[in-house]
Amino acid sequence: MGFYRFYETHIFPRFLDLGMRPLEPYRGEAVAEARGRVLEIGFGTGLNLPHYTEAVEHLTAIDPMDAVKKKVQSRIDAVSFPVERHALAADGGLPFADACFDSVTMTWTLCTIPDPVAALREMRRVARPGAPLLFIEHGRSPDPSIARWQDRLNPIQKIIGCGCNLNRRIDTIIESAGYRIETLDRFDAARVPRTHGHLYRGVARP
């Protein structure tokens, strides 16, 4: 195993689990509307689990990363609904029938997917008609000076962040995949550098 593979598998997931703590207050509102059979894209280390309500009946989690296993399993064991995990890339095709999920959630994930439009089209395919895509993502700032710094830092960020991009226009990408954005809040997260903390939180529907 090369160093970068070791970093990607063993070091980065722990760093990510710790580094996401300042964003924890934003998770609950982002996934509050999730209902029924839920598809979560970008499960990571399971940080969304305690924020789902009793309206969730079953969670199907997609993420190519499978690390920090004991900590993740303890979070799964703490929730009342079953969690089914798949170590898959979201843009490679999802092994589910059309229109089989009631809600789709996506938190701090779209920045990393190599082909985000392909992934979103798959999410749209497996969601029932009218099912919400509930999302919170970081992306390109509307402040031109911050956006320029995001462009400068992006090549470095993609390496240390295992594919994470700082400068994606999240709303444009979601609409490009055939979604209609129903609500969208854009704001800078507290206690996070503005290059990394401009957030897009909202609800979109097919």
Side-chain angles (χ1 to χ4, degrees), residues 35-155:
R35 300 286 186 275
R37 297 185 61 83
V38 178
L39 174 66
E40 179 175 335
I41 301 295
F43 182 70
T45 57
L47 292 172
N48 283 336
L49 287 172
H51 297 282
Y52 285 113
T53 71
E54 294 179 355
V56 173
E57 299 170 6
H58 183 280
L59 180 73
T60 300
I62 301 295
D63 201 309
M65 182 178 73
D66 184 21
V68 199
K69 294 184 180 181
K70 288 185 178 179
K71 183 176 289 188
V72 172
Q73 190 59 51
S74 70
R75 289 170 179 163
I76 291 173
D77 293 341
V79 297
S80 60
F81 49 83
V83 178
E84 173 189 334
R85 298 181 65 194
H86 297 266
L88 297 171
D91 55 355
L94 298 174
F96 309 118
D98 295 355
C100 63
F101 292 101
D102 301 303
S103 311
V104 181
T105 61
M106 182 176 65
T107 61
W108 293 287
T109 297
L110 206 60
C111 59
T112 306
I113 299 174
D115 189 340
V117 172
L120 284 158
R121 285 174 177 160
E122 275 293 278
M123 296 177 218
R124 195 182 72 191
R125 178 185 67 79
V126 301
R128 64 169 177 75
L133 169 65
L134 310 171
F135 65 90
I136 185 166
E137 300 284 342
H138 74 100
R140 192 171 190 85
S141 171
D143 184 323
S145 63
I146 300 299
R148 284 193 293 271
W149 272 108
Q150 289 177 316
D151 292 336
R152 293 184 189 113
L153 293 172
N154 203 59

